[in-house]
Amino acid sequence: MDLELLNKLWGRANWILLLIFMFYVLFALYVFASQLDRVLTARSDISAIPFSAQFLHRSPSPSGPDAPSKSVFRRIKEKWEGLMAYTAEKLETWTGAKEDKTLAWTLGIVWACVGGGLAGGCLVFARATVQLLSYASTLPNPASQFAAFSPIFTVFLLAQTAILQILCLNRALKSYDSTTVVPIFYGVYTGLGFLFALVFNNEVERYRTWTLCLIGLSILVLVSGVVLLTHKKPEPGAKPTGTPGQLALSAIPAARKRRNADGTRDAPGKSG
């Protein structure tokens, strides 16, 4: 791959649209997972104030004719904080009746999907960078192949996706069991990596429509099967250790549970 071919691949509208669409999807999932992580952290701390109320303690900016004019960055920051406050309120409403284990499972799945999507993009950018380096090494002036926007932007995206995928996978492993998040990570990585490579290298026409549909369906079945298998239900024979209004068995003193050989309990005050 040379610089001319790389510029041609980056200049196609279908690849740009796919990249923008996946950026917004992964960014939305990243924000959702970050806020859900903060909700779980706030729920684990009994002394903490509600998560959505944390945004209400910030002093509002002055308004009116005498208020100083706001910069563009200040307005963007206020819009962002308002969006995060709205997201926090909706998340607390949605998570109010759910157990922490269910939320941790959801958090691990979302982090794994974000990391897998970033890994799929990293695969495409790494392949393009390696091919460009291989071609440049055969030229008398290798630096000429990187004196353009497309190779610099490709290397930049390669570095960003490589770092972020590790961070997301690490958070997924901290949130839930590795037997759940790792298969989902690799399933999303395989599917989106194939999709990105297909569109970026302009190879869609090399495959028939039914072949692409079956590949997408198989990846979807793989990821869905892992999600369903890891969403465990309580065992039929499992019973709760206690019910409301009753003491658990472990709360009863051992002296009151001991019996004599004839089946009668020890008299009060006797032991042994």
Side-chain angles (χ1 to χ4, degrees), residues 255 258 260 264-272:
R258 288 200 302 266
N260 294 328
T264 60
R265 290 183 181 272
D266 289 334
K270 296 182 180 181
S271 61

Side-chain angles (χ1 to χ4, degrees), residues 10 20 35 50 55 123 152 172 196 209 262:
W10 271 102
I20 294 175
Q35 297 297 87
F55 295 91
L123 175 66
I152 296 175
F196 289 153
T209 305
D262 58 356

